Amino acid sequence: MLLHELETPAVLIDLDVMERNLGRMAEYTARTGVALRPHIKTHKIPALAQRQIALGAIGIAAAKPTEAEVMSEAGIRDIMLAYPIVAAAKADRLARLAEHTRISVSLDSHEAADCVARSFHAAGRNVDLLVEIDVGFARCGVQSAAAAAELALHIAKLPGATFGGIMFYPGHMMVPPAEQEPLLREVNTRVEAAYTAITASGLPIARVSGGSTPMAYRSQEFSHLTEIRPGMYPLNDRNLVAGGFATLEDCALTVMTTVVSTAVPQRVILDGGSKTFSSDRLLTGDHIGHGVVLADRDATLYGLSEEHGHIDISRSSRSYTIGERLRIVPNHVCATINMHDRVYGIRGDVVECVWDVAARGHVQ
Amino acid sequence: MLLHELETPAVLIDLDVMERNLGRMAEYTARTGVALRPHIKTHKIPALAQRQIALGAIGIAAAKPTEAEVMSEAGIRDIMLAYPIVAAAKADRLARLAEHTRISVSLDSHEAADCVARSFHAAGRNVDLLVEIDVGFARCGVQSAAAAAELALHIAKLPGATFGGIMFYPGHMMVPPAEQEPLLREVNTRVEAAYTAITASGLPIARVSGGSTPMAYRSQEFSHLTEIRPGMYPLNDRNLVAGGFATLEDCALTVMTTVVSTAVPQRVILDGGSKTFSSDRLLTGDHIGHGVVLADRDATLYGLSEEHGHIDISRSSRSYTIGERLRIVPNHVCATINMHDRVYGIRGDVVECVWDVAARGHVQ
């Protein structure tokens, strides 16, 4: 099938660009010895997770037990729930997966640890529980080294559970390089303190799991880090480009749209809006715009209705024609894929494969 | 099934509240004689569309041919595509539906009119084409009365098409009442001018299709209006409440979530983020927050990660417990439902029905 045969809007993944991105991360992690555990929240596509494993990833990370079910079904044998599980029904789902799949869970409370361990113990299984520490993002994570050691010791005594190490998420580090330095020092201070307190209590620390796409290529600067969980690196997006973490040429995913109206002066309307791109904003700079119009850098995709993309062409000299197609690099690739049931793998004008976004909608 | 048996996050629709909202609109439109053609973009659920028809709606509006296919399959026999169709594949889909379903399309260009008429003519069918006029929203729509008449005459000559009337969308009127008045005068000026120009050219105007939920109960103040296309009125949301168009008690849809972390001081983390609520912002006031925490009006759902809702409880005296459930009224009900494959109809603590969001993901 050829690109022009697809109806729009359609999510396209340039397979050559994606392979280059995958290869770069595989090479970096192999060279530096940090284990790669990609977070599948970005793509939710079993075939992509399998490709990541084939290129050396030790397993995957997921946020939801139902996502883990899809990936386990696809043959992924090591899945970390990088999310506190506090409901018995969810823990029971994970315990069932443990028949075929090594499961670990990160969490920050006795309640979560007790909940998950109880289900695994009842199922006659064992789960690795990692203590999440807050390294400055202020979302989840225990607040002190003493609290980390206390929770680690609590986990170590639970039937059905093994203390699996330390987990953190540096979600606040998607900032310019000069601003990263003090944040990195604070992350390392907190990780080292927790590491020291836990080892002082007599527990070995098998894993220190951190990472994110923006920080992935600085992994060797993080104290004690053994694995990273980047999600976006195979595809990239406008936010990563705006932050200096990727170039437009690294963006494997574009949304192909069609111009449906040029009736309003200085405006062009596309057949994709917030239900195609998501409403996720640009995280840096002026926060303006919802994507890059590849054919016209003077055009601004300034607004989204649910099914309309509003482009301002007042600074552009390009002419636009109803029915023509425009490819857009979206602000946030994870949120965009999550809007779609399928995506198309392309090379040039050829559609080489169609992938179901199989774990999309698995909100529980 | 009882509410506590559902895993979270789960989208709940309070059936009593929804029925009250449906009944109010049915009563208003019956009393004033304006035809009701609900836009199904809000819910994308066939059973809800059928309920709207049962209560007197003359048909529905949709944005995408694939949405229309789902609704036609469910027995809806009058569907308006309130969206310019400019691709032959999409027009062909609509022409196929015309075997069982009356189809109309609004558009603002010769290209769109020619495209749709060509498919219907080839299929031996006829389509009603409405001319969209821009009444101030500056999204789609011809810009002058002369252009409206010119396009209407063009349509009237196309094999496969009948000129069906005027369509407009007052999407810019979700503002405080005092600001609505000049906008309403401008809308009426433009509609009257187009109406006069088209009738002067000898064409009858069968329909004038306008409306939206915020303006629905002022329909009788719009010139020449024969039908309205509100979407959100059965459910409502935080944006409509903030704009003064509904009360919290009118909000039939809530998202049930679970507290998964309380580790960070003054913060509570929920198991729903932008992939549960959408990233749609509050359209009025300070634009802050992603929903109303019904159990605690002093709490602010100030931020969303993809799977985490971040609540600020620094001004609250309520205590929070890991594992407890909180119900949230989201900013934008259409965008929230669009994140989910199913929703639950409830009365009190009883789950009375489960509805598939059958037209979700039908982006083309």
Side-chain angles (χ1 to χ4, degrees):
Chain A
M1 187 159 58
L2 295 174
L3 210 48
H4 74 82
E5 298 174 77
L6 295 178
E7 285 192 60
T8 65
V11 175
L12 312 179
I13 293 179
D14 186 307
L15 298 173
D16 291 330
V17 177
M18 185 186 76
E19 283 294 328
R20 194 174 69 218
N21 294 335
L22 288 168
R24 184 178 173 217
M25 187 65 77
E27 187 279 325
Y28 171 82
T29 50
R31 176 164 50 81
T32 57
V34 65
L36 176 61
R37 180 185 292 282
H39 203 307
I40 57 80
K41 65 171 184 142
T42 298
H43 56 70
K44 300 192 174 191
I45 297 169
L48 279 193
Q50 290 162 346
R51 183 78 188 122
Q52 290 171 312
I53 297 288
L55 287 168
I58 61 163
I60 62 161
K64 302 283 184 173
T66 51
E67 292 174 349
E69 287 170 352
V70 170
M71 294 297 161
S72 177
E73 181 79 20
I76 309 295
R77 289 289 161 257
D78 185 333
I79 301 178
M80 175 184 187
L81 272 287
Y83 201 89
I85 301 298
V86 304
K90 288 182 164 61
D92 288 346
R93 286 177 183 267
L94 294 175
R96 282 193 290 273
L97 291 186
E99 185 179 351
H100 301 296
T101 306
R102 182 188 172 209
I103 300 290
S104 53
V105 181
S106 61
L107 40 79
D108 62 9
S109 68
H110 283 219
E111 290 88 340
D114 295 351
C115 169
V116 177
R118 195 179 301 122
S119 288
F120 277 73
H121 182 59
R125 306 278 169 196
N126 191 81
V127 63
D128 288 330
L129 298 183
L130 287 78
V131 171
E132 179 165 1
I133 65 172
D134 179 10
V135 293
F137 188 43
R139 183 173 72 183
C140 295
V142 298
Q143 297 294 298
S144 70
E150 194 279 330
L151 181 53
L153 283 169
H154 178 78
I155 289 167
K157 292 176 193 152
L158 288 174
T162 302
F163 170 64
I166 293 171
M167 177 272 201
F168 67 89
Y169 176 60
H172 58 312
M173 293 189 72
M174 197 165 167
V175 295
E179 296 173 38
Q180 289 167 18
E181 298 312 319
L183 300 178
L184 179 59
R185 283 195 295 274
E186 178 67 17
V187 170
N188 284 339
T189 299
R190 296 198 196 187
V191 170
E192 286 165 16
Y195 196 96
T196 302
I198 292 170
T199 50
S201 73
L203 290 173
I205 298 181
R207 288 158 64 186
V208 176
S209 177
S212 64
T213 291
M215 287 300 104
Y217 291 107
R218 299 189 65 177
S219 295
Q220 73 276 24
E221 299 175 59
F222 285 78
S223 299
H224 300 298
L225 198 64
T226 67
E227 72 172 25
I228 56 174
R229 307 181 312 277
M232 298 188 285
Y233 73 95
L235 303 174
N236 296 308
D237 60 22
R238 182 171 178 240
N239 267 320
L240 287 165
V241 172
F245 302 102
T247 67
L248 264 185
E249 291 66 37
D250 298 328
C251 292
L253 184 141
T254 54
V255 182
M256 184 168 68
T257 62
T258 298
V259 172
V260 295
S261 175
T262 58
V264 176
Q266 309 303 334
R267 296 288 184 272
V268 165
I269 302 298
L270 301 179
D271 65 346
S274 63
K275 287 176 175 171
T276 293
F277 295 105
S278 89
S279 295
D280 281 29
R281 300 179 73 202
L282 186 66
L283 297 174
T284 54
D286 56 14
H287 304 287
I288 288 176
H290 295 275
V292 178
V293 183
L294 287 176
D296 185 358
R297 304 298 166 84
D298 296 324
T300 303
L301 181 57
Y302 69 97
L304 299 177
S305 305
E306 287 170 49
E307 303 289 6
H308 303 73
H310 303 232
I311 297 182
D312 178 348
I313 57 166
S314 58
R315 291 183 316 233
S316 169
S317 55
R318 188 181 187 281
S319 65
Y320 285 83
T321 310
I322 289 172
E324 75 168 308
R325 290 175 166 201
L326 295 175
R327 285 168 68 177
I328 312 288
V329 174
N331 281 356
H332 186 188
V333 64
C334 315
T336 298
I337 293 185
N338 189 54
M339 292 287 167
H340 297 269
D341 287 340
R342 64 195 62 81
V343 302
Y344 302 90
I346 64 164
R347 280 196 168 88
D349 289 334
V350 177
V351 179
E352 289 205 358
C353 55
V354 183
W355 285 322
D356 287 339
V357 187
R360 195 218 61 76
H362 287 57
V363 296
Q364 290 153 343
Chain B
M1 189 159 56
L2 295 174
L3 211 47
H4 74 83
E5 298 174 78
L6 295 178
E7 284 192 61
T8 65
V11 174
L12 312 178
I13 293 179
D14 186 308
L15 298 173
D16 290 331
V17 177
M18 185 186 77
E19 283 294 328
R20 193 174 68 218
N21 295 335
L22 287 167
R24 183 178 172 217
M25 187 65 78
E27 187 280 326
Y28 172 82
T29 50
R31 176 164 49 81
T32 57
V34 64
L36 176 62
R37 179 186 292 281
H39 203 307
I40 58 79
K41 66 172 184 141
T42 298
H43 56 71
K44 300 191 174 194
I45 298 170
L48 279 193
Q50 290 161 346
R51 184 77 188 124
Q52 290 171 312
I53 298 288
L55 286 168
I58 61 161
I60 62 161
K64 302 284 184 171
T66 51
E67 292 174 349
E69 287 170 354
V70 171
M71 293 298 160
S72 177
E73 181 78 19
I76 308 294
R77 289 289 162 257
D78 184 333
I79 301 179
M80 174 184 189
L81 272 288
Y83 200 89
I85 301 299
V86 304
K90 287 182 164 60
D92 289 346
R93 287 177 183 267
L94 294 176
R96 283 193 291 274
L97 290 186
E99 185 179 350
H100 301 296
T101 305
R102 182 188 171 207
I103 300 289
S104 53
V105 180
S106 61
L107 39 78
D108 62 9
S109 68
H110 282 218
E111 291 88 339
D114 294 352
C115 169
V116 178
R118 195 179 301 121
S119 289
F120 276 73
H121 182 60
R125 305 278 169 197
N126 192 80
V127 63
D128 287 329
L129 298 183
L130 287 78
V131 171
E132 178 165 1
I133 66 171
D134 179 10
V135 292
F137 188 43
R139 184 174 72 183
C140 294
V142 299
Q143 297 293 299
S144 69
E150 194 279 330
L151 182 54
L153 283 169
H154 178 79
I155 289 167
K157 292 175 193 150
L158 288 175
T162 302
F163 170 64
I166 294 171
M167 177 271 200
F168 67 89
Y169 175 59
H172 58 311
M173 293 189 72
M174 197 166 167
V175 294
E179 296 173 38
Q180 288 167 18
E181 298 313 319
L183 300 178
L184 179 59
R185 282 194 296 274
E186 178 67 17
V187 170
N188 283 338
T189 299
R190 296 198 195 187
V191 170
E192 286 166 15
Y195 196 96
T196 302
I198 293 170
T199 50
S201 73
L203 289 173
I205 298 181
R207 286 157 66 185
V208 177
S209 176
S212 65
T213 290
M215 287 300 104
Y217 291 107
R218 300 189 63 177
S219 294
Q220 73 276 25
E221 299 175 57
F222 285 78
S223 300
H224 299 299
L225 197 65
T226 68
E227 73 172 22
I228 57 174
R229 307 182 312 278
M232 298 187 286
Y233 73 94
L235 303 173
N236 296 308
D237 59 23
R238 182 172 177 240
N239 266 321
L240 287 166
V241 173
F245 303 102
T247 68
L248 264 184
E249 291 66 36
D250 298 328
C251 292
L253 184 141
T254 54
V255 182
M256 184 168 66
T257 63
T258 298
V259 172
V260 294
S261 175
T262 58
V264 176
Q266 310 301 335
R267 295 288 183 271
V268 165
I269 302 299
L270 301 179
D271 66 346
S274 62
K275 287 176 175 170
T276 293
F277 296 104
S278 90
S279 295
D280 281 29
R281 301 178 74 202
L282 186 65
L283 297 174
T284 54
D286 57 14
H287 304 288
I288 288 176
H290 296 275
V292 178
V293 183
L294 288 176
D296 185 358
R297 304 299 165 84
D298 295 324
T300 303
L301 180 58
Y302 69 97
L304 299 177
S305 304
E306 288 170 48
E307 302 291 6
H308 303 74
H310 303 233
I311 297 183
D312 179 347
I313 57 166
S314 59
R315 290 183 316 234
S316 169
S317 55
R318 189 180 187 281
S319 65
Y320 286 83
T321 309
I322 289 173
E324 76 168 305
R325 292 177 165 198
L326 295 175
R327 285 168 67 177
I328 312 288
V329 174
N331 280 357
H332 187 187
V333 64
C334 315
T336 298
I337 292 185
N338 189 54
M339 292 286 167
H340 297 269
D341 287 339
R342 65 194 62 81
V343 303
Y344 301 90
I346 64 165
R347 280 197 167 87
D349 289 334
V350 178
V351 179
E352 289 205 358
C353 54
V354 183
W355 285 321
D356 287 339
V357 187
R360 196 218 61 74
H362 286 58
V363 296
Q364 289 153 346

